[in-house]
């Protein structure tokens, strides 16, 4: 499922498809800009402001450190491998919708799998630079790992020798079987031939970050020189690793960390957009904001009808409600609670609710000193008060809610019941303090737990887990932090509480989260059977029954390994104050902002 409110589960990203993302879970307000000249297609003017729980930390969500749902919203609005301006987007019903503003995707052959991408002759970046096949070639190079010659540790996924250039929140699965693309620069086409079937071929998006920006960062004169470099540089060979390539390293540095931001970038190259919006201003952290203006080069049939979009970062749901009531924002997506809903209804706000493809969970760091022992892992899981957590956070707003018993499916998905019947997660329905004590045999292990201190739901979960685990003899250290997402996978904690949110399409999350060394495998999980199942999922086309079996089997194996515990499915909540028409609920990664072209300010 995407990082924040949790994390995003492999979203539609450059070279990867349908990742999950991290989910997240009293501020200054940027001054709306005065209405000026509108972008092509922009209409009535005005500003619309949306409050989100998590602050933006990067102008990408495609690396392990940036795979956050709010970062993914920036990707979506700017057409960075997802959203209008890229080749496709996902709507509120989880349909994959082609967007032909800048190009098209065509299935040429099923056996072998051949897919052709064609740029529109008028496709252009927001800075006026024409799009070329080099843009798509760079996206393929990043997503395929073509130039990597690294050898990875089979248990940890860490590089032991060689070079791994571009870091991905997802994985190279699928694209890593492709041949070097066939390019016809004059026709504007790039053709991919896969060595194996690939389940998510239709979600691979090759409009991402602009090649001319990467060319400049690596010292190339232009994108033609970059294209020649990519064509002439040998593919990486782990059996014969080479010295690090200077140009690849420069581009990888830009990709891996260059889009991370703590202030409005001075380098305008970082703001170049393929979508209908361009970043206009930014202020970091809780209390900050990111604002967008229409792309002056946008040619799409769908266009915004207003002049500025502001996403404000307000972690406190009460502060979000106050801002909505006072007219400081027009739309909010707070952490849902009974108090939140009552407060919105009290002042006449409009509630838009539905199930989210998001769930909170507790993960154990498998290679930490304390949890490298499966007996200690089992003992700790026996102490987790999942029902009490549910009743504290979810039951007040959804009385019929139940503890979640799957890592692969949420309760409104048809596969859920079969998964629960097979996986064994229901064995941890209630705490078994005595059973935990017996397993510990007098030991008092220390466990540090990472969570988002700015998210009241995560604070509640931590406190309930701490109190229960201490009854069995565990010593619980509070490793909570407002910077929790950047700490995931850092080795500084033993367990973590966060959320995944799914794009609702595709299977890229299986290698992303569950495979050894996966881009979202933050807890060092490694199981050879799971690795094989994740691999099989990526080459299984048209067999939904087998794909479900694979997910259920991964569910079962993770339970047997005492991986952690799912806690609850997160209810979705959007609210407006009547100042915007066209807001439609979306339970996936993009939240309310998925259809800004349909929004109209109400005068």
């Amino acid at each position: 499922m995407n990082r924040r409110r949790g994390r995003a589960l492999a979203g539609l990203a450059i070279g990867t498809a349908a990742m999950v993302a991290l989910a997240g879970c009293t501020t200054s307000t940027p001054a709306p800009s005065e209405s000026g000249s509108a972008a092509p297609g922009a209409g009535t003017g005005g500003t619309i402001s949306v409050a989100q729980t998590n602050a933006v930390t990067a102008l990408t969500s495609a690396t392990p450190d940036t795979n956050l749902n709010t970062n993914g919203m920036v990707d979506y609005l700017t057409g960075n491998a997802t959203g209008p301006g890229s080749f496709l987007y996902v709507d509120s019903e989880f349909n994959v919708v082609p967007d032909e503003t800048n190009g098209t995707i065509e299935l040429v052959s099923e056996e072998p799998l051949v897919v052709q991408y064609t740029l529109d002759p008028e496709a252009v970046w927001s800075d006026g630079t024409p799009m070329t096949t080099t843009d798509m070639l760079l996206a393929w190079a990043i997503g395929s790992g073509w130039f990597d010659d690294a050898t990875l540790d089979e248990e940890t996924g860490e590089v032991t020798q060689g070079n791994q250039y571009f870091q991905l929140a997802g994985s190279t699965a699928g694209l890593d079987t492709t041949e070097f693309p066939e390019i016809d620069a004059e026709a504007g086409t790039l053709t991919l031939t896969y060595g194996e079937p690939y389940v998510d071929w239709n979600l691979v998006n090759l409009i991402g970050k602009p090649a001319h920006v990467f060319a400049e960062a690596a010292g190339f004169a232009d994108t033609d020189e970059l294209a020649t470099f990519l064509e002439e540089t040998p593919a990486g060979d782990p059996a014969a690793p080479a010295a690090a390539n200077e140009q690849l390293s420069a581009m990888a540095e830009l990709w891996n960390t260059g889009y991370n931001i703590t202030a409005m970038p001075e380098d305008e190259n970082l703001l170049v957009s393929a979508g209908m919006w361009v970043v206009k201003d930014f202020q970091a952290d809780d209390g900050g904001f990111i604002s967008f203006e229409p792309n002056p080069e946008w040619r799409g049939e769908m266009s915004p009808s207003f002049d500025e979009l502001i996403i404000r970062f307000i972690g406190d749901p009460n502060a979000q409600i106050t801002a909505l009531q006072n007219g400081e924002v027009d739309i909010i997506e707070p952490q849902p609670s009974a108090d939140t809903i009552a407060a919105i209804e009290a002042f006449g706000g409009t509630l838009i609710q539905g199930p989210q493809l998001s769930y909170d969970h507790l993960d154990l760091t498998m290679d930490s000193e304390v949890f490298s022992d499966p007996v200690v892992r089992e003992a700790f899981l026996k102490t987790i008060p999942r029902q009490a957590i549910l009743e504290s956070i979810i039951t007040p707003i959804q009385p019929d809610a139940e503890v979640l018993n799957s890592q692969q499916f949420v309760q409104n998905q048809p596969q859920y019941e079969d998964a629960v019947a097979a996986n064994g997660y229901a064995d941890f329905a209630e705490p078994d303090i005595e059973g935990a004590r017996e397993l510990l045999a007098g030991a008092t292990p220390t466990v540090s737990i990472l969570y988002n201190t700015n998210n009241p739901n995560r604070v509640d979960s931590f406190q309930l887990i701490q109190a229960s685990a201490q009854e069995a003899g565990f010593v619980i250290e509070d490793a909570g932090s407002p910077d929790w997402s950047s700490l995931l996978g850092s080795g500084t904690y033993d367990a973590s509480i966060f959320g995944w949110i799914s794009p609702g399409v595709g299977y890229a999350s299986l290698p992303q989260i569950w495979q050894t060394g996966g881009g979202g495998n933050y807890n060092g999980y490694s199981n050879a059977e799971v690795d094989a199942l994740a691999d099989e999922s990526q080459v299984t086309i048209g067999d939904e029954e087998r794909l479900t079996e694979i997910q259920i089997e991964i569910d079962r194996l993770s339970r047997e390994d005492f991986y952690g515990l799912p806690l609850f499915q997160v209810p979705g909540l959007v609210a407006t104050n009547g100042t915007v028409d066209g807001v439609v609920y979306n339970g996936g990664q993009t939240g309310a902002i998925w259809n800004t072209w349909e929004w109209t300010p109400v005068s």
Side-chain angles (χ1 to χ4, degrees):
M1 298 186 187
N2 206 347
R3 252 196 236 206
R4 294 216 227 242
R5 203 171 316 208
R7 286 259 178 186
L9 282 168
L12 304 177
I14 190 166
T16 57
M19 297 185 306
V20 289
L22 294 177
C25 308
T26 51
T27 63
S28 58
T29 305
S33 56
E34 296 182 6
S35 295
S37 58
T44 60
T47 297
I48 294 177
S49 184
V50 184
Q52 290 288 342
T53 298
N54 298 292
V56 164
T57 63
L59 302 177
T60 179
S61 64
T63 71
D65 291 338
T66 64
N67 180 28
L68 183 63
N69 68 332
T70 41
N71 294 342
M73 293 175 191
V74 177
D75 279 341
Y76 185 84
L77 293 167
T78 58
N80 177 21
T82 175
S86 64
F87 287 107
L88 54 96
Y89 65 94
V90 178
D91 69 12
S92 62
E93 300 299 321
F94 306 110
N95 299 306
V96 178
V97 182
D99 182 79
E100 300 185 359
T101 302
N102 291 319
T104 58
I105 303 175
E106 178 188 359
L107 176 63
V108 176
S109 167
E110 292 184 354
E111 294 183 9
L113 179 60
V114 180
V115 182
Q116 185 171 84
Y117 297 78
T118 303
L119 287 175
D120 187 284
E122 298 182 3
V124 63
W125 295 99
S126 62
D127 63 355
T129 304
M131 292 184 185
T132 70
T133 53
T134 308
D135 292 300
M136 298 190 291
L137 181 60
L138 175 64
W140 167 83
I142 291 171
S144 66
W146 180 261
F147 298 109
D148 291 345
D149 56 13
T151 297
L152 305 182
D153 185 281
E154 292 185 359
E155 293 187 0
T156 67
E158 297 295 321
V159 175
T160 58
Q161 67 175 354
N163 305 283
Q164 187 177 48
Y165 290 102
F166 300 99
Q167 297 173 7
L168 299 175
S171 77
T172 60
L175 283 185
D176 61 3
T177 74
T178 55
E179 301 172 3
F180 194 92
E182 178 184 338
I183 303 291
D184 186 335
E186 185 174 347
T189 62
L190 180 149
T191 304
L192 288 181
T193 300
Y194 288 80
E196 297 178 350
Y198 179 44
V199 65
D200 287 342
W201 68 265
N202 62 319
L203 302 177
V204 174
N205 232 327
L206 294 184
I207 295 177
K209 293 298 188 184
H212 64 281
V213 173
F214 280 75
E216 180 178 327
F220 295 110
D222 52 31
T223 54
D224 289 341
E225 191 172 308
L226 171 58
T228 300
F229 167 80
L230 294 174
E231 292 167 1
E232 294 182 351
T233 301
D237 180 3
N245 182 287
E246 181 179 351
Q247 289 86 3
L248 286 173
S249 295
M251 290 188 289
E253 182 179 0
L254 174 58
W255 171 262
N256 295 335
T257 62
Y259 286 92
N260 297 359
I261 54 173
T262 57
M264 182 63 180
E266 295 182 5
D267 183 358
E268 293 187 357
N269 279 338
L270 298 179
L271 309 180
V272 176
S273 168
M276 67 175 66
W277 295 99
V278 180
V279 173
K280 175 184 177 183
D281 200 3
F282 173 76
Q283 177 180 307
D285 301 324
D286 191 16
F289 66 91
I290 189 166
S291 64
F292 303 82
E293 59 189 352
N295 179 351
E297 301 290 344
W298 180 249
R299 302 170 301 103
E301 294 182 2
M302 305 175 296
S303 295
S305 66
F306 54 102
D307 290 337
E308 185 174 29
L309 172 66
I310 300 169
I311 298 178
R312 293 183 56 199
F313 317 138
I314 306 177
D316 183 349
N318 293 323
Q320 284 198 27
I321 296 166
T322 299
L324 184 69
Q325 185 174 7
N326 294 343
E328 299 169 47
V329 299
D330 306 290
I331 304 164
I332 63 174
E333 291 194 68
Q335 286 287 321
S337 70
D339 291 342
T340 299
I341 292 172
I344 294 168
E345 291 176 333
F347 78 84
T350 299
L351 293 168
I352 307 171
Q353 297 174 265
Q356 257 192 109
L357 292 184
S358 177
Y359 77 107
D360 273 27
H361 50 96
L362 169 76
D363 291 356
L364 307 189
T365 303
M366 310 294 281
D367 53 1
S368 75
E369 183 176 355
V370 64
F371 285 141
S372 59
D373 183 348
V375 174
V376 180
R377 295 201 300 270
E378 181 181 5
F380 188 69
L381 296 187
K382 283 181 175 290
T383 72
I384 306 305
R386 294 198 296 158
Q387 185 66 35
I389 292 170
L390 181 82
E391 292 174 358
S392 172
I393 298 171
I394 303 300
T395 304
I397 56 174
Q398 186 181 335
D400 63 346
E402 297 180 356
V403 166
L404 187 68
N405 281 315
S406 173
Q407 301 272 17
Q408 299 296 325
F409 305 104
V410 289
Q411 285 143 332
N412 59 313
Q413 292 179 298
Q415 307 95 326
Y416 177 76
E417 293 300 332
D418 287 342
V420 172
N423 63 31
Y425 274 111
D427 294 347
F428 294 96
E430 292 286 354
D432 178 6
I433 302 301
E434 287 305 316
R437 286 175 179 158
E438 289 178 12
L439 289 171
L440 291 178
T444 57
T446 297
V447 175
S448 62
I449 302 179
L450 174 69
Y451 63 97
N452 182 2
T453 54
N454 287 337
N455 184 321
N457 288 355
R458 307 277 160 72
V459 173
D460 285 353
S461 293
F462 167 76
Q463 291 175 344
L464 288 165
I465 290 170
Q466 180 183 45
S468 183
Q470 287 179 164
E471 289 184 34
F474 285 97
V475 177
I476 304 300
E477 291 184 348
D478 186 340
S481 170
D483 301 318
W484 66 277
S485 68
S486 65
L487 296 172
L488 284 170
S490 65
T492 59
Y493 59 89
D494 303 304
S496 55
I497 305 167
F498 65 98
W500 284 118
I501 183 167
S502 171
V505 294
Y507 296 92
S509 65
L510 296 176
Q512 177 196 6
I513 298 175
W514 301 101
Q515 200 158 51
T516 302
N521 184 349
Y522 298 107
N523 61 332
Y525 182 62
S526 183
N527 179 310
E529 290 183 72
V530 171
D531 288 347
L533 288 164
D535 284 338
E536 182 186 349
S537 73
Q538 301 304 286
V539 298
T540 301
I541 297 180
D543 189 346
E544 296 300 322
E545 182 178 350
R546 178 55 187 157
L547 285 164
T548 296
E549 290 173 353
I550 288 170
Q551 290 170 283
I552 291 175
E553 184 65 3
I554 291 175
D555 227 8
R556 183 186 66 79
L557 290 167
S558 68
R559 152 64 181 83
E560 290 184 355
D561 290 334
F562 308 113
Y563 173 96
L565 287 176
L567 299 176
F568 55 79
Q569 182 177 1
V570 179
L573 173 63
V574 175
T576 72
N577 58 10
T579 57
V580 180
D581 283 339
V583 179
V584 176
Y585 180 77
N586 184 325
Q589 295 175 356
T590 51
I593 59 94
W594 78 272
N595 68 331
T596 58
W597 62 89
E598 295 180 332
W599 292 2
T600 304
V602 177
S603 56

